[in-house]
Amino acid sequence: MKTKLSFKYWIGLLVFLPILSWAQPKTELDRLFDQGIAHYNQGEYNQAASAFEQARQLAKKQNNTKLFGKANNNLGNVYSLMGQSEKALSHYLSAMEISRQLHDTLVLAKTIKNIGALYEEQKDFKTAMQYYRQALDLASRKKDQALIADCLNNQGVVYEQLQQYEKALEVYDKSLSIYRQLKDFSRVALALNNSAIVEKYLKHYPESVSKYQESLALSERNNDRFMVAATQNNLGNVYQLMGNSRKALEWCLKASQNAKAINAPEILIETYDGIALAYEKLGLWPQAVQYRKWYEAEKDRFINANRSSQLIEMQTKYETKKKEDEIVLLRQQEKIKNLELSEKQSKIERRNVLLIVNVLLLLGLVVLAYFWRSRQKLQDSLNRERLVRETEELERLRIAKDIHDDLGSGLSKINFLSELISKETAVPFEVKNYSQAVRETSVRMIENMRDLIWALNPENTTLANLISRMREYASDYLEDYQIQITYQIPDDLPQTCISKESHRGLFMIVKETLNNIGKYAQATEVQFKVVLHPETLQLLIRDNGIGFDAGNAENGNGLRNMKSRVEALDGSFKLQSNIGEGTQIEVQIALKKIIKLPTNF
């Protein structure tokens, strides 16, 4: 199974949003904070950001430093979950500076923890762990159990990234124990989810599924739609690793619907990847290709578009602030002439245009490099998968040949000894019958092994080689019954690869038909006809034997077997026979049902 990124980064960023309450009636600031928290809990992050930004502006206008800092902290939390790391860091740094001014240790610890989460997202695990330890030390001083558990949980995510899974499980269990004591079920769901991820990496799949299901139940009860979507996708990943592709597809589709509903692109990207992989495992290639395209498009849009807009926005803010400072300076210098002001303004505008052009050019180069690298990675991955499949095919063929050599020699010896027994006149009649049955069974097993070895060779599994093998087998088989066979086969059959299942099914249908003709038809002539239509393959076999009542055809196991084999290939099976008029078998199979897709599809 292809390895998939989990949602540990985003889950690790779920943080405490302080709810402020006073004895006096709620103010406009209270209302804005309540709105932001409600939108945040519902996964409506754009609305939450808008509410907290209004609260921040109002707190600044009222010179309320404490609420201004908390608004910045909450904005950092929202932008973290939206994947806008630059905005998040800007607000966190502002909140951290205010907390230090106010000597608010608890809020400072929360902000430091959140900054650590940003570094964790950027894969700077050493710096992230340093921030987490600072936050844990401050939380321990204040004896804030919820924050201690949050810091432990985020440390577990870092250990998980460093593949130190035992340490990760240890700190996850500690945080889970604290959350259960506090009856904080949203964080219990978080810790269970993270612990389940580690169990998955350790291949403890039943334990992983159990923890995900408990986490999902708690998230649904808490109406935490982000966690619901993330956990559903993680459940799909585990079932894929367990080899249950249908179950994996079911969970990933649910996660995809929920991710779309809450506009969570980071989850949606992963669900598309999981759905595409599940369809590949189930052999549903058109659906797999469509979801693979959506996955690549969504991933590119999320990574490139967000980063580009963030960088341009930060650059614009920087230039705007710079222009404002220069304007203030020019106004203070009354002796500067209007002409000088105009010239300087023009220089600033030209510099801005040049800077924007350079930024856009750089971004264009980065985008091109990213697409090229992604294409190379995909091609390398496809090449590796093709080599693995080819190696497996060769190994299966080698094993089958070894079995054929060992078992075939033994069966040949059994056949030889059975023939000797049947020739002995002193042997009882029953023993001769048994030896003859043993001889016939060994002969059939040798023939079946030869057919199996022939079919396992990838070079033989083509439409032309299959028809050629049918013709060779029919001639050899009917020769023993003194039956004349005529062929009507196109000369230009294509060397199109077909699947092993369809190869074996069609060949067994021919064998069953010839076996019935040889044993029961009393025929002297057989017609073997192959017609290749643009979209179907038609196979007809007719004999001039004694025929039988077609109304009782279902009573025979051989005919039922042939019909079931045709139905397994989604084909049609027709039987025409009357007593004294011979029998005809007609099989039609859609070519798209038997053609094997390219291995690099």
Side-chain angles (χ1 to χ4, degrees), residues 184-201:
D184 189 341
F185 297 113
S186 62
R187 283 180 170 66
V188 171
L190 170 79
L192 284 169
N193 201 299
N194 288 348
S195 183
I197 291 172
V198 178
E199 297 286 7
K200 178 184 70 175
Y201 289 149

Side-chain angles (χ1 to χ4, degrees), residues 21-114:
S21 62
W22 293 270
Q24 65 270 26
K26 289 188 175 182
T27 65
E28 178 65 10
L29 269 173
D30 299 336
R31 186 185 65 79
L32 289 171
F33 272 104
D34 289 344
Q35 283 184 2
I37 292 169
H39 287 306
Y40 180 91
N41 290 334
Q42 293 296 322
E44 299 167 351
Y45 301 122
N46 288 325
Q47 296 90 326
S50 177
F52 288 135
E53 179 60 29
Q54 293 179 53
R56 190 179 77 93
Q57 295 295 338
L58 184 56
K60 182 179 181 181
K61 184 177 180 180
Q62 296 177 359
N63 292 323
N64 192 329
T65 306
K66 184 175 182 179
L67 293 186
F68 180 76
K70 289 187 177 180
N72 274 293
N73 199 24
N74 287 353
L75 277 169
N77 297 337
V78 175
Y79 285 129
S80 293
L81 285 178
M82 293 174 69
Q84 300 182 26
S85 301
E86 290 83 358
K87 284 187 177 182
L89 181 58
S90 176
H91 288 293
Y92 282 148
L93 291 175
S94 179
M96 186 172 67
E97 184 62 26
I98 293 172
S99 298
R100 284 175 175 162
Q101 292 175 8
L102 298 175
H103 303 288
D104 192 338
T105 305
L106 193 57
V107 174
L108 178 61
K110 293 174 182 177
T111 307
I112 290 174
K113 174 181 70 67
N114 294 340

Side-chain angles (χ1 to χ4, degrees), residues 364-380:
L365 292 175
V366 170
V367 170
L368 288 175
Y370 175 81
F371 277 113
W372 179 84
R373 181 59 179 165
S374 298
R375 183 180 179 84
Q376 288 297 113
K377 285 184 177 180
L378 179 60
Q379 188 62 45
D380 292 344

Side-chain angles (χ1 to χ4, degrees), residues 19 24 52 95 126 204 228 234 247-248 259-260 525 564 576:
I19 301 178
Q24 65 270 26
F52 288 135
K126 181 179 179 181
H204 301 161
V228 168
N234 286 347
K247 200 73 174 178
K260 289 179 181 178
E525 293 181 1
S564 65
Q576 297 178 0

Side-chain angles (χ1 to χ4, degrees), residues 87 91 312-322:
K87 284 187 177 182
H91 288 293
I312 293 173
E313 182 177 355
M314 290 188 70
Q315 185 63 45
T316 302
K317 284 185 176 181
Y318 169 78
E319 293 298 332
T320 302
K321 181 64 169 59
K322 191 172 182 180

